[in-house]
Amino acid sequence: MAKQRLEKFLESTDLKRSATASDLLGVSSRAMLDALGAGERSPQVLAELAKGRMRAKIPELVEALTGRFAEHHAFICRMQLERIDQMSNWIE
């Protein structure tokens, strides 16, 4: 549920990560989300964080990562990721 909430939130900022990545919390996606939360806003820089097979999708990633993501969005994103991490730790 928290994962879907995060995905909906990202879509509200015009970031369409789900269009290019099957797992919102996979290695590449998580690196991009962490960078967004840390203040990175350049779609090109974010797309370059792609790993493995996702590197072939860098042009699509740049387009998907172009949106209106501001500091207050970064705060909410960080909070959502922390919540997801806490729930994951409880399950393990």
Side-chain angles (χ1 to χ4, degrees):
M1 184 145 168
K3 185 175 173 181
Q4 288 106 351
R5 190 173 293 133
L6 177 59
E7 187 169 5
K8 287 278 190 193
F9 169 73
L10 292 172
E11 287 178 2
S12 76
T13 66
D14 294 331
L15 298 183
K16 306 291 186 202
R17 291 282 308 116
S18 61
T20 54
S22 58
D23 185 4
L24 180 66
L25 298 175
V27 175
S28 295
S29 295
R30 182 60 190 248
M32 293 173 207
L33 290 172
D34 287 339
L36 277 166
E40 183 59 59
R41 300 294 179 265
S42 168
Q44 186 65 41
V45 171
L46 293 166
E48 289 294 333
L49 295 172
K51 310 280 187 226
R53 290 180 290 158
M54 284 210 34
R55 296 219 36 96
K57 297 181 181 181
I58 286 179
E60 292 91 348
L61 286 168
V62 170
E63 186 176 334
L65 292 164
T66 301
R68 44 183 187 80
F69 199 89
E71 183 54 39
H72 65 282
H73 295 117
F75 175 76
I76 294 170
C77 183
R78 286 191 307 267
M79 286 179 41
Q80 289 288 356
L81 289 171
E82 286 175 18
R83 183 177 181 142
I84 290 168
D85 290 344
Q86 286 175 343
M87 286 190 278
S88 294
N89 288 335
W90 293 336
I91 294 170
E92 294 173 359

